[in-house]
Amino acid sequence: MSEDSLEEDKAESCLSKITVEPVIFCYAFGIILHVPVIQQYIHKRISEEKGIIYNTTASLSNCDLTQVSRNVETSKLQKAVQSESSFMQLGMVFSASAPSLFVALFLGAWSDRAGRRRVMGLPIFGSAVESAIILWVISFNLPIHMLLLAGFINGICGFFPTMVLSLFSYIADITDQSQRAFRLGILEATAFISGMLSHLSSGWLINKTGYKAPYMMILSLHTFALFYVLLKLPESRAKHLMENSTVKVFSLQHMRVIICIFTDPRSGQRWKMCLLMLTSGLMIVSSIGFGSVIVLYAIDRPLCCNSILIGYYLATSFFVQAVGAVLGLRFLRLVLSEDAVMQAGMISIICSLIMMAFVETKTQFFMVPLVACLGGVPTPIIRAKMSKLVDADEQGALFAAVATLETLCTLCGAALFNSIYPLFLRVGFNGFSFLVMAVLMLAALTITEIYRRKELRNSSTKYDTEPKAEDVLKKNRARLQSDKDELN
C-alpha cells in the first residue's frame, strides 16, 4: 500500500511541475503548422493565377505537375511564381510583426505588475482570430490580400513576441537560477516536439483534404490553449504586487524600465547583456531566413518535394533538435562548460546550413537535420544567461526587450532573405541564402567566443586582486610576532 501511495505522490509531483507546457505545445503546434501551410497555399493561389495546374490532392511535386500539364510553362514563369510567393510571404511577416513590435514593448513590463496570464492569453486570442479569417479566405476563395488583414489582427494582439516574453517570464518566476536553463530547454523541446507533430500532419492533411483541415485544427488548438490559460493556469506573480499596481498598459514607465535593462551598469556586467542580445539577434535573423525560404527551396528543382515530403523533412528537423536540446542541456553540461555547449550548438547549425546550400538529392536533404542535431541548445542557454543578469521584478521587461529584438530581427530576416532568394534564383543558385545564414551564425559564434574570453579574463583578474589565504596567514603570523616582541 505504501508503494502505491509513493507512486501516486511521484505522479502528483510530476503533474504539479506542468505549468505552461500545454500552452506552448498547442500554440507552437498552431503557428508552426501555419507557416508551411500558408506558404504552400500562397504558392498555389499565385500558380493558379499564372495558369499553372496545382492539385494539392495529388502525390506529385510542383515540378511534376508542371511537366504533366498540357500547357507546359516555361522556366521563366515558374521563377515568377517563386518570386511573387516570396514577396507575398514577406508581406505576411510584416503585417503581423510590425504591430507586435510596439505591443510587446508595453505588455512585457506591464506583466511584471499585472501578471503573466493576462498577457499570455492575448496573443493566443489573436492567433485564433487569424486562423478563423484564413479559413474564411480558403473556404470562399476570397482575395489573397485578405491574409494581410488576418496577420495584422494577430500582430496588434501581440503575436509570437508577446507569447515568448510571457512564457519565459513565467518560467523565470517559478524557477531558481540553477534550473532555469534546463526548464527553458524543456520549453524549447516541447515546441520542437509540437513542431514535429504539426509538420507530420501538415503534408498529409494538405495532400488528403486540402487547406481547410489544417486551419480547423489550428483554430481548435488555439481555443483550447486560451481556455487553459484562463481557467487552469495559476498566476506566477505575487497577488500583493498585482493588487497594489495601478500602472496602465500603455505607460511610458514601461519604456523607461526596458531602457534601464541596457543602461543600468549592473556592477560592470552590462557588456554581457549587450553581447548576449547581439548574439541572439544574429541567430534569429538566420532562423527566420531559413523558415522564409525552406519551403520554396524544397518545392523547386532539384529537390521537387511535394507537401508530404516537406512535412516529413520539417518534422524530422524538429524532432532531432528537440532530442538534441534536452540531451545536450542535460548530459553535455556534465563534461563541457555552458559556453562550450552553446558554441557546439552554433557549430552544428553552421555546418547544416552549408550542407543545405549544396544538396542535390532528397537523401542529402534529409541528412541535414542530423547535422543540426544540437541546433536547439544555444537559445535556452542565452536566455537563461540574460535572465540571471536582472532582478525578479525585471523579468517581464527583459523578455519584452528580447521579444522586441526578435520582432526587429524577424522583419530584417524576412526582408533580407525574401529579397536574396528571388535574386539568386535568377542566376541559378537558390542555395546562396543558406550561405548567408551560415555567415550570420559564424558572426554569432565569434561574439560568444569574445564573451567567453572576456568573462574568463574578468574572473581571473578578480581572483588575482583578492588576497590569497597564504598571504593573509603570513600577515597574521607576522602581526602576532610583532605583538609578542612588543610585550617582551
Side-chain angles (χ1 to χ4, degrees), residues 247-286:
V247 180
K248 297 179 180 179
V249 177
F250 297 102
S251 171
L252 291 178
Q253 181 178 344
H254 302 324
M255 300 297 295
R256 287 193 290 269
V257 172
I258 293 175
I259 292 172
C260 285
I261 295 290
F262 300 97
T263 58
D264 192 330
R266 302 191 183 279
S267 303
Q269 302 296 304
R270 184 173 61 181
W271 64 270
K272 290 185 178 182
M273 182 68 73
C274 295
L275 289 182
L276 290 171
M277 283 285 186
L278 181 58
T279 302
S280 179
L282 290 171
M283 290 183 62
I284 293 165
V285 172
S286 178

Side-chain angles (χ1 to χ4, degrees), residues 131-144:
S131 58
I133 294 175
I134 294 175
L135 188 59
W136 187 34
V137 171
I138 294 171
S139 300
F140 297 98
N141 204 34
L142 298 177
I144 195 172

Side-chain angles (χ1 to χ4, degrees), residues 113-115 235-245:
R113 298 290 180 266
E235 178 56 59
S236 63
R237 298 294 291 163
K239 289 186 178 180
H240 70 275
L241 293 175
M242 297 169 58
E243 291 172 354
N244 296 332
S245 175

Side-chain angles (χ1 to χ4, degrees), residues 157-178:
C157 290
F159 188 42
F160 183 72
T162 301
M163 177 56 70
V164 168
L165 73 87
S166 61
L167 287 170
F168 289 122
S169 299
Y170 191 101
I171 291 297
D173 291 339
I174 64 174
T175 59
D176 56 35
Q177 293 187 1
S178 62

Side-chain angles (χ1 to χ4, degrees), residues 125 129 168 325 401 420 453:
F125 173 77
V129 173
F168 289 122
I420 290 177
R453 294 190 177 189

Side-chain angles (χ1 to χ4, degrees), residues 457-474:
R457 186 168 59 250
N458 288 350
S459 61
S460 62
T461 303
K462 182 179 178 181
Y463 176 77
D464 292 338
T465 56
E466 290 179 351
K468 296 182 180 179
E470 294 179 357
D471 295 337
V472 172
L473 187 60
K474 288 180 180 179

Side-chain angles (χ1 to χ4, degrees), residues 336-344 381 385 448 451-452 455:
L336 297 174
S337 66
E338 195 172 60
D339 291 332
V341 174
M342 177 174 62
Q343 291 177 332
I381 293 178
K385 282 177 173 290
T448 60
Y451 176 97
R452 186 188 68 82
E455 188 176 40

